[in-house]
Amino acid sequence: MDATALWQRYQDWLYYHEGLGLYLDISRMGFDDAFVATMKPKFDKAFKDMAALEAGAIANPDENRMVGHYWLRNPDLAPTSELKQEIIEGIAQIEEFVKKVQNREIKPPFAPQFTDIISIGIGGSALGPQFVSEALSPDIPPRAIHFIDNTDPAGIDRILNKIKDKLVSTLVITISKSGGTPEPRNGMIEVQKAFAAQKLDFAKQAIAITGVDSQLDKLAKSQGWIATFPMSDWVGGRTSELSAVGLLPAALQGIDIRAILDGAKVMDEATRTPEIKNNPAALLAMSWYFACNGRGEKDMVVLPYKDSLLLFSRYLQQLVMESIGKEKDLDGNIVHQGISVYGNKGSTDQHAYVQQLRDGVSNFFLTFIEVLEDRKGISPEVEPGVTCGDYLSGLLQGTRQALYENHRDSIVVTIPQVNPRTVGALIALYERAVGFYGSLVNVNAYHQPGVEAGKKAAAAVLDLQQRVLQVIKDADTPLSVAEIAKKAGTPEQIETIYKTLRHLAANGRGVALKGNFAQPATLTTSYQET
């Protein structure tokens, strides 16, 4: 395609939202008009599915749940007056709580004010808040936030050691819908112990975001925590950023949550248009379908050319992969759907993996995130007439051109600046695109059976660990791994037992291993009191 034709195609397929100042350019995706025509019936169904979802239909049939994250930014859409009031009151509760923290009506027992926050969560309860914090938190926030988003002991130690002297003025947020998810529960227990070690009352500095009457809700109320904030069962973890999960930590950092909600609401209105060409989320979903042949045949590479948006690719990784990556479709057919998502940031990508993207295997399509505003204020020149921001813009455009010349498809999403409104709009844009794509490929985009399977398998390993330890304790002589497996009644789990023993031995947990470590079958195991 020559330059004149390409310029015309750019104009034909450029979407612009005047109110948000947002552009979407899909002109460098290789679809043609015939492809768009074949997609129209699929999108007619997708638009109807989405309208039903917003109206309160059971959009998550496996769990018999409504899917209501769109109501969070426009309570008038909620299907009942009770739900509408619940949403309105939830936002008011957040704002009232933050106001009391700011004016020190709510403060720690032994410090004049809260200076830090520990946010404990996993998955959507961490990725969304982390992304928004990185994108929007002031350089000097009123309260610095630290995330415990794993059950990694060294990672927890790193956070606790970092704020050890400020634990006395730290507010702890534990986020878990059920209250029984191991990772946030474990993080909470570790933080509780750190408070106890400093003779601090954890309950007087703790709040919970959880389901009503969940294990965590009951615990928090029984121990007298400062407050609890509800998580509704119609909001999934990966779409919970605009609920209390994301809004409360953001507000405590001084981020304008009303602007985030407004940006999302405006984008929701734009993506409610039942026409592919005038709906940015539909344009994204169509582009994904084209690139992946509706079967996940290519990966999505996300490259934000702005440091503050670095975590957007991680946020999208969960949103897209957990929503679309499904073994079965809604009719029960084995389909193995999904789109793999990964990313870095520009122009760091230029010195990381663009070499392969340009010249290597063509198993991907790209999404560039462009921000027009370089910084607040005027940039100094680094060369005559050239600033750092000019370089960044040139590198984005040059990289896209170099990739296009080698037949690599790409999308560009452009926002005027990184602010609460545009971040809210980005979140809403991709939430809707994922919902549309789920309908296009006929999968339930709102459950995660694979995640649940992993949790069950992990629980089985921990149960086996207890039995193995008992076998070793009861033994009079050292036992081989095979003997332990037999006595535990699980000879088929010998490899898992060996790896469990190795882990326990490495951590001084009463297990002593002797023998040739290169030949696990030769090892003998005995119990040592710790």
Side-chain angles (χ1 to χ4, degrees):
M1 190 177 292
D2 63 26
T4 301
L6 199 58
W7 169 238
Q8 187 59 52
R9 180 175 171 83
Y10 172 78
Q11 295 177 83
D12 289 344
W13 286 102
L14 179 66
Y15 172 87
Y16 176 64
H17 192 290
E18 185 174 4
L20 293 167
L22 179 144
Y23 300 81
L24 173 63
D25 169 19
I26 62 169
S27 64
R28 267 51 168 190
M29 302 297 291
F31 60 84
D32 56 20
D33 290 344
F35 172 79
V36 177
T38 65
M39 295 301 295
K40 187 177 183 305
K42 290 180 178 290
F43 270 101
D44 288 343
K45 178 180 181 299
F47 292 139
K48 289 178 182 177
D49 289 346
M50 189 59 70
L53 179 151
E54 285 198 329
I58 299 299
N60 182 355
D62 295 66
E63 299 175 359
N64 195 36
R65 290 179 180 175
M66 297 184 293
V67 175
H69 50 274
Y70 297 106
W71 312 332
L72 294 169
R73 46 266 201 169
N74 187 354
D76 289 336
L77 292 175
T80 69
S81 58
E82 292 80 10
L83 283 177
K84 175 181 176 179
Q85 196 60 30
E86 177 185 325
I87 296 164
I88 292 171
E89 290 175 357
I91 297 171
Q93 182 192 6
I94 291 168
E95 292 178 327
E96 181 64 21
F97 180 85
V98 173
K99 181 180 178 181
K100 289 181 177 179
V101 170
Q102 290 171 339
N103 64 26
R104 305 187 188 185
E105 287 181 55
I106 295 177
K107 65 184 188 68
F110 303 110
Q113 63 180 325
F114 285 112
T115 61
D116 290 75
I117 304 163
I118 294 178
S119 180
I120 305 170
I122 191 73
S125 298
L127 288 167
Q130 286 172 318
F131 160 55
V132 168
S133 177
E134 184 75 13
L136 298 175
S137 184
D139 293 338
I140 305 175
R143 280 155 291 279
I145 193 165
H146 316 271
F147 293 94
I148 293 178
D149 62 354
N150 201 356
T151 187
D152 173 14
I156 295 171
D157 283 348
R158 184 178 183 185
I159 296 299
L160 292 175
N161 289 333
K162 185 177 181 180
I163 62 171
K164 187 173 183 179
D165 294 336
K166 295 187 288 183
L167 205 62
V168 68
S169 59
T170 295
L171 179 67
V172 182
I173 308 174
T174 303
I175 309 172
S176 174
K177 182 184 285 188
S178 68
T181 305
E183 293 93 339
R185 182 206 60 197
N186 295 353
M188 179 194 71
I189 291 171
E190 290 247 7
V191 174
Q192 282 180 319
K193 291 182 181 298
F195 268 73
Q198 293 193 25
K199 295 182 171 53
L200 298 172
D201 187 344
F202 176 81
K204 296 294 191 294
Q205 296 178 222
I207 59 178
I209 302 174
T210 187
V212 176
D213 291 330
S214 72
Q215 296 176 42
L216 179 58
D217 188 46
K218 293 174 181 176
L219 176 71
K221 289 174 179 175
S222 68
Q223 294 183 351
W225 292 17
I226 298 173
T228 60
F229 296 81
M231 288 181 74
S232 301
D233 68 355
W234 40 265
V235 178
R238 57 188 172 275
T239 55
S240 65
E241 175 53 29
L242 301 188
S243 72
V245 168
L247 296 180
L248 179 60
L252 286 165
Q253 294 170 80
I255 297 169
D256 185 350
I257 61 173
R258 289 284 179 175
I260 297 177
L261 290 167
D262 180 66
K265 179 181 178 181
V266 171
M267 180 55 72
D268 286 345
E269 292 166 354
T271 57
R272 210 169 277 128
T273 302
E275 301 169 5
I276 297 174
K277 205 163 187 177
N278 294 315
N279 184 320
L283 291 172
L284 278 179
M286 183 183 74
S287 298
W288 299 353
Y289 195 98
F290 171 78
C292 300
N293 196 25
R295 290 300 309 272
E297 293 177 1
K298 290 193 175 183
D299 300 341
M300 183 191 304
V301 181
V302 181
L303 297 176
Y305 271 57
K306 184 63 71 173
D307 286 2
S308 61
L309 296 180
L310 170 64
L311 297 184
F312 192 47
S313 57
R314 285 184 63 194
Y315 171 75
L316 289 183
Q317 190 173 61
Q318 185 201 19
L319 178 64
V320 175
M321 295 179 71
E322 196 169 75
S323 298
I324 305 302
K326 302 295 160 64
E327 180 184 31
K328 295 180 180 179
D329 67 13
L330 287 167
D331 298 321
N333 301 310
I334 302 294
V335 292
H336 295 297
Q337 271 292 351
I339 302 176
S340 296
V341 180
Y342 63 93
N344 200 331
K345 67 175 183 180
S347 66
T348 303
D349 62 277
Q350 203 79 27
H351 305 276
Y353 51 74
V354 164
Q355 168 60 38
Q356 176 168 314
L357 299 184
R358 171 61 168 73
D359 294 342
V361 59
S362 182
N363 62 348
F364 64 91
F365 66 99
L366 287 103
T367 298
F368 294 93
I369 309 294
E370 177 184 28
V371 180
L372 294 178
E373 182 182 80
D374 292 338
R375 58 153 52 103
K376 299 296 181 186
I378 302 300
S379 291
E381 294 182 357
V382 293
E383 295 176 8
V386 179
T387 67
C388 282
D390 297 338
Y391 261 104
L392 191 65
S393 177
L395 285 163
L396 187 158
Q397 294 182 60
T399 299
R400 193 188 193 202
Q401 179 62 28
L403 290 164
Y404 176 75
E405 289 170 355
N406 220 23
H407 312 292
R408 312 302 164 102
D409 286 346
S410 65
I411 298 164
V412 179
V413 178
T414 302
I415 56 176
Q417 58 184 209
V418 179
N419 61 39
R421 202 160 180 263
T422 57
V423 167
L426 283 175
I427 290 170
L429 172 63
Y430 277 88
E431 284 179 346
R432 186 83 83 180
V434 165
F436 283 149
Y437 191 86
S439 181
L440 295 179
V441 299
N442 195 37
V443 298
N444 180 353
Y446 306 106
H447 72 157
Q448 50 282 333
V451 176
E452 300 306 319
K455 291 179 180 178
K456 290 177 182 177
V461 170
L462 294 174
D463 178 68
L464 179 60
Q465 175 178 303
Q466 296 304 313
R467 285 185 281 148
V468 165
L469 276 172
Q470 194 59 51
V471 167
I472 299 170
K473 289 179 181 178
D474 292 343
D476 296 325
T477 58
L479 300 173
S480 69
V481 180
E483 289 170 330
I484 294 171
K486 183 177 180 180
K487 286 180 178 291
T490 55
E492 75 283 358
Q493 293 289 331
I494 187 168
E495 183 176 331
T496 300
I497 289 171
Y498 157 68
K499 291 177 179 177
T500 299
L501 292 169
R502 186 176 62 180
H503 174 256
L504 292 171
N507 287 278
R509 302 284 298 285
V511 172
L513 292 175
K514 292 184 179 180
N516 182 353
F517 286 88
Q519 297 291 328
T522 69
L523 296 175
T524 59
T525 306
S526 57
Y527 184 76
Q528 293 181 341
E529 292 288 347
T530 57

